[in-house]
Amino acid sequence: MGQFLDAALERSLQAERCGALVPLETEVVPLAGCEPFVLRRLLSETPKHLRSAGPKPNPFLPWDPALEVACLSREHVLILNKFPVQRGHVLLIPQRWQPQSGWLSPLDWQALAAVEADTPGLWFFNSCAAAGASQPHRHLQLLPRQASEPSCPLAAACVEQLQGQQQAWPWNYRLSPRLHAGTGDAAAELLELYHRHQSELGLGAPHQQPQPQHPYNLILEPNWFMTVVRTREHWAGMSINALGFAGCLLITPESDTAWLQQHGPMALLAAVAGSSR
């Protein structure tokens, strides 16, 4: 795999021993009619970031040194997700305060491209609390993947859409192919796709608005880049972040699984995303 994943796994062992890392225990829930979505039931105590609460402290300024994987530059650092469902789940964060609700910068995309060139996988971003973000300090998230492993349950459907073999989903989003992942042109391509999607979806532009005009999610992997406009964070007792649009749902004690089984995951996503235009 890559040196960043190796470092993340080694750091995970150390951090778990000292209590800095708190892996969440889950089990896969087979729910008829929900394929190809993967549903996991949370068996551990619900972590604070999934509970409704008041203002949250910033755990990234400063970040816990026990969770640090690599200092990428004077601007960015790679740290472990404190409450991972998957081993090696890392966060790319700026070393100085940057708001989650602000525009992602060229430096953010340069840092992401540098990590991806070594350790590919599924990246996702929740633009604010209404899009599933648990913290106000900017953080992009990576779930590393092996070369032969699908990035997410909906990866094949995304490729089929790009090839014209599947109908578009009924919400407001953009899905584009990536041609330069892992190359020196990756950062520029990512920045161009990000700005183009934001403009086409009515989210605005950095030179016109101080921040995007609506909540949104980003999901990307080496073959494609997707942006989804959001209208709300919860539905049927389920908290939906960007991973929902990748085909991954987390069931907690508050989740209405009867509603989910009756209506299906696509209706759940349609309920929290803007309708297509």
Side-chain angles (χ1 to χ4, degrees), residues 101-103 205-213:
S101 59
W103 295 104
H207 64 280
Q208 294 177 334
Q209 288 89 17
Q211 65 182 41
Q213 299 300 286

Side-chain angles (χ1 to χ4, degrees), residues 42-242:
L42 183 64
L43 301 178
S44 306
E45 180 182 355
T46 305
K48 292 180 180 179
H49 73 280
L50 291 179
R51 305 172 193 163
S52 57
K56 301 178 176 68
N58 185 351
F60 304 143
L61 197 64
W63 60 91
D64 185 344
L67 299 177
E68 183 176 322
V69 174
C71 183
L72 302 174
S73 66
R74 296 176 60 184
E75 299 293 332
H76 290 86
V77 63
L78 201 63
I79 68 172
L80 295 172
N81 180 354
K82 184 178 180 67
F83 301 102
V85 171
Q86 172 197 309
R87 293 285 181 177
H89 183 169
V90 293
L91 310 178
L92 174 64
I93 66 171
Q95 297 196 38
R96 294 172 290 182
W97 164 255
Q98 294 291 340
Q100 186 78 350
S101 59
W103 295 104
L104 294 178
S105 72
L107 290 177
D108 292 325
W109 293 113
Q110 290 169 19
L112 187 154
V115 175
E116 183 183 56
D118 173 82
T119 301
L122 182 73
W123 287 90
F124 63 100
F125 177 76
N126 311 307
S127 72
C128 59
S134 61
Q135 304 296 342
H137 187 115
R138 183 169 302 164
H139 57 289
L140 295 104
Q141 306 190 51
L142 169 63
L143 296 172
R145 296 287 187 257
Q146 299 292 339
S148 60
E149 183 182 12
S151 64
C152 63
L154 294 185
C158 288
V159 172
E160 289 172 359
Q161 277 199 36
L162 291 173
Q163 295 174 343
Q165 300 173 3
Q166 179 175 302
Q167 288 186 337
W169 293 307
W171 48 77
N172 200 14
Y173 73 103
R174 288 295 184 274
L175 174 65
S176 297
R178 293 183 59 195
L179 305 176
H180 301 292
T183 75
D185 296 324
E189 179 184 51
L190 288 167
L191 181 63
E192 190 277 329
L193 289 172
Y194 174 63
H195 285 163
R196 183 182 355 137
H197 283 193
Q198 299 283 311
S199 176
E200 291 177 352
L201 292 169
L203 296 171
H207 64 280
Q208 294 177 334
Q209 288 89 17
Q211 65 182 41
Q213 299 300 286
H214 303 284
Y216 68 93
N217 294 125
L218 300 177
I219 312 99
L220 58 138
E221 51 111 275
N223 297 303
W224 46 263
F225 183 112
M226 180 161 61
T227 306
V228 181
V229 179
R230 295 292 300 273
T231 57
R232 57 177 61 86
E233 190 263 345
H234 268 78
W235 191 264
M238 301 186 69
S239 176
I240 310 299
N241 67 10

